[in-house]
Amino acid sequence: GDRTRAQQQRPIPRPDEANLYEIPQGLYPSYRPLPLPARIFLGVASIWIVALREKRIVSKFFVTSSTKIMIGSILRGLIFYLLSNFSLQEIFRGPSRVTTNDLIKNYSLPSKLSQYQILTLPTTKTTTKREDNNNSQMEDVSSLGVHWLQYNRRPTTSKDSHRYAALHFNHGFGASSLSWLPVLTKMADRFKVAKSTAHDATGFGFTDRPESNNIELYKPISSSKIGLEILKKKNNNIEESSSDNILLVGHSMGALATLQMALQLPKETPVTVVLVAPALGVMQRRKEVKKSIANKKPSFSIQKYIIDLPLQYILRRIVGIRGFWKRGLSAVWGNPKLVTDTDALRFQWPSIGLGWERGLLMFTRAMTSSSRNDGMDDDS
């Protein structure tokens, strides 16, 4: 079957980006058109059904019907055809949605730099270490499966020492760790970084997407804790090597998590922070949204069936259009002519993750909800 074949196939690197794999055979990021015979059958069936509904025989239909009746019938037939086509396409030719564990077991993760592990994250608010070394105790913890990229640089000569112990990237809204692939290894080599990492924030990429009762895990403060846990792993344990330089980079809304990471590092740790097009203005807008929705929280059933499910389906249909990602990136890129198929693939990969649409909505909801654990986003 498909899984047996998938287990036998090896990941195929992109020719122009060796650290990025092609989406495995048997997985489909876009909707596929129905076979031509099926579309012809649906078209004929639509005409017959509409004609019979008008209580006319097909042979008479085009001869005796008035123009007004004919146009109305054609429109009804077209609607029936489109609905039938969408339904069959959704059932038989829809885009693939797989869990991260399924990718690991039967296919491959998107990059040879990919890592996936269950991390334990503290969930209670703490005093930032740069303000007070006696930070509050963190008793509550939450386990989360996290996907990140990791590149370990090896010195080329005995004199080639590392300038930075670690470099960590935080991506922006709608992106993932794969967005940093073109620069992750290059920056590590140029700035002589021992270990370079970039993780998928909760709600994006292939990091787990918790249920709605764990909305705190979708916030930037949680993403910052994920980044810190990754920095602590193996040779870059910041608790033991607090004198080593750390370089943090954040893009767009990832700037919030980047700043929160910097504040939570030990006070004596030298930290360099680089923010690319930071979306820090979102904090003030969040405060305004919090006040406007404070007394307008929908019930769970209304939220799930009236709001979430339709929005998720709309997102699924939009991103499932062939060529969507390249056209979308071209619309916002500085020079649309520079957008390549590989650029589009880095954004397309995460969309095959199960719950991709729900994760996006959960992140959006988390960013417009108030909490005492928002760290920098507090009104104080």
Side-chain angles (χ1 to χ4, degrees), residues 62-246:
F62 293 105
V63 178
T64 62
S65 296
S66 66
T67 303
K68 184 176 180 180
I69 294 176
M70 183 182 296
I71 293 175
S73 299
I74 292 174
L75 289 176
R76 283 191 289 272
L78 179 61
I79 293 173
F80 180 84
Y81 170 80
L82 291 175
L83 290 176
S84 301
N85 184 75
F86 283 173
S87 299
L88 291 176
Q89 194 179 39
E90 188 68 44
I91 296 171
F92 300 107
R93 310 285 283 181
S96 302
R97 292 293 184 268
V98 294
T99 65
T100 304
N101 286 326
D102 195 28
L103 273 179
I104 296 171
K105 181 180 178 181
N106 299 309
Y107 301 96
S108 68
L109 289 172
S111 171
K112 70 177 183 181
L113 304 180
S114 287
Q115 304 275 334
Y116 178 81
Q117 291 184 28
I118 305 297
L119 301 183
T120 300
L121 309 176
T123 57
T124 58
K125 185 179 179 181
T126 64
T127 303
T128 59
K129 293 184 178 181
R130 291 185 171 267
E131 296 173 355
D132 184 354
N133 285 330
N134 297 319
N135 59 302
S136 60
Q137 294 182 352
M138 297 179 289
E139 298 177 352
D140 297 333
V141 295
S142 180
S143 295
L144 185 72
V146 177
H147 171 258
W148 75 90
L149 305 178
Q150 180 170 320
Y151 172 66
N152 299 316
R153 177 181 177 271
R154 298 183 182 277
T156 55
T157 66
S158 58
K159 296 182 179 180
D160 185 15
S161 60
H162 290 123
R163 291 173 53 193
Y164 293 92
L167 162 63
H168 191 80
F169 296 89
N170 287 288
H171 64 80
F173 181 79
S176 72
S177 60
L178 299 178
S179 306
W180 296 110
L181 265 179
V183 298
L184 190 144
T185 58
K186 293 178 181 178
M187 285 188 64
D189 292 334
R190 180 172 181 177
F191 294 102
K192 298 183 178 181
V193 183
K195 182 177 79 170
S196 298
T197 52
H199 75 276
D200 295 341
T202 312
F204 302 97
F206 294 102
T207 289
D208 290 354
R209 299 170 177 85
E211 296 300 326
S212 57
N213 58 340
N214 285 325
I215 197 170
E216 297 297 319
L217 290 174
Y218 289 86
K219 297 187 176 183
I221 186 66
S222 177
S223 186
S224 71
K225 292 174 182 177
I226 292 174
L228 291 172
E229 288 300 314
I230 293 173
L231 288 183
K232 290 179 183 179
K233 298 183 71 63
K234 294 183 180 179
N235 59 316
N236 282 317
N237 190 317
I238 60 175
E239 297 298 335
E240 297 177 359
S241 305
S242 58
S243 62
D244 290 338
N245 294 330
I246 303 293

Side-chain angles (χ1 to χ4, degrees), residues 297-310 365:
K297 295 182 179 180
S299 66
F300 174 77
S301 58
I302 293 178
Q303 176 179 295
K304 180 177 180 180
Y305 296 106
I306 306 300
I307 301 176
D308 287 6
L309 291 182
R365 187 165 293 124

Side-chain angles (χ1 to χ4, degrees), residues 303-318 357 361 365:
Q303 176 179 295
K304 180 177 180 180
Y305 296 106
I306 306 300
I307 301 176
D308 287 6
L309 291 182
L311 284 177
Q312 289 177 37
Y313 181 71
I314 292 172
L315 284 172
R316 178 181 171 91
R317 293 298 313 193
I318 292 175
E357 302 87 352
L361 294 180
R365 187 165 293 124

Side-chain angles (χ1 to χ4, degrees), residues 322-333 336 339 344 347:
R322 287 181 178 272
F324 165 81
W325 292 106
K326 190 169 184 179
R327 288 194 294 269
L329 290 174
S330 298
V332 298
W333 218 263
V339 179
F347 282 81

